[in-house]
Amino acid sequence: MKKILITMLLLSVVVVVSCDNGDTGDTGNTGDTGNTGDTGDTGNTGDTGDTGDTGDTGNTGNTGDTGDTGDTGNTGNTGDTGDTGDTGNTGDTGNTGNTGNTGDPEGHVVDCTDTECKVPAGSFWMGSPTDELGRETARETLHYVQLTKSFYMGKYEVTQGEFNAVMGYNPSSFSSCGDDCPVEQVSWYEALAYANELSKLEGLPECFDCTGTQPNFTCSLKTAHSKPQDCLGYRLPTESEWEYAARAGTDTAFYNGDITEYGCEMDANLDAIGWYCGNSSNKTHVVGGKLPNAFGLYDMSGNVFEWVWDWYQESYPTGNETTPVVDPYGPGSGSHRVSRGGCWYFLSRNCRSAYRSYHPPTNRNVNRGFRLARTKE
């Protein structure tokens, strides 16, 4: 009997001990609290740092403005034409900036009056090299262009005062900026009508047949001329004339050097020569307030976009030093006309010498004006 009792007591002790040990095993469960390590997942909240990226998108919001141009939307599609980027092989000659030789104003004496500057005939690589910041591949394929005729280019963008004196009205949104600020809110046709009126006032031949009443004109090149360069009166520059004049012998993004910032950040080179979203305080400015290029031309980057003659075509014609594109003036028809130079509320990349924008010729915008050209006899 004593043995039974002792045995039972021993068993009870074993049971108690083993149960207690089990409990401490539970404390092992507090190891689960290690799961609070999962709280480390809240580190994911760091992802909200990505939201900072949307700040960048704020800049591209400006690009959305280029949406006015419908431009950038199309660019995506034409990425196929990235093949034309092959012409960027002529970019091999990207050294070709040198070949801007004949347009190189080194040793060139600036030949300007109060209103216009002489641009000598010459050849250059039009478009942008493949490594240029902000480049739009399909639209900016390098190709070699020869301009056989010297021409005069407006020293400044046409001002509100000049437009009003000739046309009798001022369409500008920034009218409070004053007579010396660029005229804007003008259609492509209004620019041609103004060119005709100025030609008449100065005893030069009119280049266009215009109908309609202000501001709703419709104009076309007079049938006596096969291309705009044939007329000796005032006209819009062709797209190639505009870029040649803007570059003034350079092959960099701006006529005073490379682009260093893509958006509205401060780009030192652009800040020195033009008004854009990084320095304009969201408005136009008096023309000629920044540094001119080697031909003596002001505001070829920024302030307002400038209408040019050509219908817009996504891809350029091909041309090299052996077989250049001679005196181009764009396709014979289209739905949008080209404008160049960037403006006061666009990004740095939109103010590059190679950048192209486009709109219907009837379009008016607070960011777009023009400057005139005329062929030298």
Side-chain angles (χ1 to χ4, degrees):
M1 190 64 179
K2 286 181 181 178
K3 286 183 180 178
I4 292 171
L5 287 171
I6 289 167
T7 304
M8 288 177 69
L9 284 170
L10 288 170
L11 287 170
S12 298
V13 170
V14 170
V15 170
V16 170
V17 170
S18 59
C19 287
D20 292 342
N21 291 345
D23 293 335
T24 54
D26 293 342
T27 331
N29 294 340
T30 56
D32 294 346
T33 336
N35 295 339
T36 54
D38 296 345
T39 331
D41 296 340
T42 54
N44 295 344
T45 332
D47 296 339
T48 52
D50 295 344
T51 330
D53 297 336
T54 50
D56 297 336
T57 326
N59 296 337
T60 50
N62 293 342
T63 327
D65 296 334
T66 36
D68 299 348
T69 28
D71 310 2
T72 48
N74 298 340
T75 322
N77 304 332
T78 52
D80 313 355
T81 354
D83 301 333
T84 52
D86 295 357
T87 342
N89 296 335
T90 49
D92 295 5
T93 356
N95 315 328
T96 62
N98 304 341
T99 345
N101 288 344
T102 55
D104 190 341
E106 188 177 329
H108 170 75
V109 177
V110 176
D111 186 359
C112 298
T113 66
D114 288 343
T115 58
E116 61 185 7
C117 297
K118 179 184 172 184
V119 179
S123 303
F124 76 116
W125 284 97
M126 185 173 179
S128 62
T130 55
D131 60 351
E132 184 169 291
L133 181 64
R135 182 180 197 255
E136 296 194 349
T137 303
R139 298 186 196 178
E140 300 176 16
T141 306
L142 278 173
H143 59 295
Y144 199 65
V145 173
Q146 180 182 5
L147 301 178
T148 63
K149 297 181 179 183
S150 297
F151 58 97
Y152 296 100
M153 189 81 151
K155 187 174 186 178
Y156 309 105
E157 293 161 334
V158 173
T159 66
Q160 296 181 32
E162 289 170 333
F163 190 89
N164 192 29
V166 172
M167 301 299 285
Y169 69 101
N170 180 11
S172 305
S173 289
F174 288 111
S175 56
S176 61
C177 185
D179 283 351
D180 293 329
C181 290
V183 69
E184 15 86 11
Q185 289 279 32
V186 287
S187 71
W188 184 84
Y189 292 121
E190 282 177 280
L192 267 55
Y194 173 86
N196 257 12
E197 291 303 313
L198 189 61
S199 291
K200 280 194 289 187
L201 287 172
E202 297 191 9
L204 295 169
E206 297 174 54
C207 297
F208 311 104
D209 289 317
C210 293
T211 58
T213 55
Q214 66 183 39
N216 300 312
F217 301 102
T218 300
C219 302
S220 59
L221 186 66
K222 285 185 176 293
T223 54
H225 308 302
S226 61
K227 57 182 182 290
Q229 300 97 311
D230 291 341
C231 182
L232 298 180
Y234 287 109
R235 57 180 174 82
L236 291 177
T238 64
E239 187 174 16
S240 56
E241 286 175 327
W242 189 96
E243 186 170 328
Y244 177 77
R247 290 190 177 282
T250 66
D251 61 356
T252 48
F254 305 124
Y255 57 73
N256 65 336
D258 290 321
I259 179 174
T260 59
E261 298 294 343
Y262 182 92
C264 294
E265 303 83 5
M266 183 53 61
D267 185 300
N269 284 335
L270 180 54
D271 181 50
I273 64 171
W275 300 105
Y276 72 114
C277 63
N279 64 5
S280 69
S281 300
N282 292 319
K283 60 183 180 181
T284 59
H285 291 264
V286 171
V287 299
K290 297 286 187 175
L291 298 176
N293 70 8
F295 286 145
L297 305 173
Y298 292 83
D299 297 307
M300 295 299 280
S301 288
N303 219 0
V304 291
F305 272 107
E306 300 175 13
W307 285 116
V308 297
W309 170 261
D310 304 38
W311 288 110
Y312 175 72
Q313 180 173 280
E314 190 88 39
S315 57
Y316 281 133
T318 58
N320 55 43
E321 292 171 275
T322 304
T323 312
V325 182
V326 179
D327 295 328
Y329 53 95
S333 61
S335 58
H336 294 69
R337 295 285 183 174
V338 177
S339 58
R340 289 299 211 105
C343 74
W344 57 271
Y345 75 78
F346 270 42
L347 309 180
S348 176
R349 74 177 186 87
N350 304 122
C351 298
R352 295 173 299 111
S353 296
Y355 181 75
R356 311 169 71 201
S357 182
Y358 57 90
H359 293 81
T362 54
N363 184 268
R364 298 179 177 90
N365 199 298
V366 68
N367 69 13
R368 195 176 316 105
F370 63 100
R371 79 175 69 215
L372 295 180
R374 64 187 180 92
T375 304
K376 183 181 180 301
E377 292 186 70

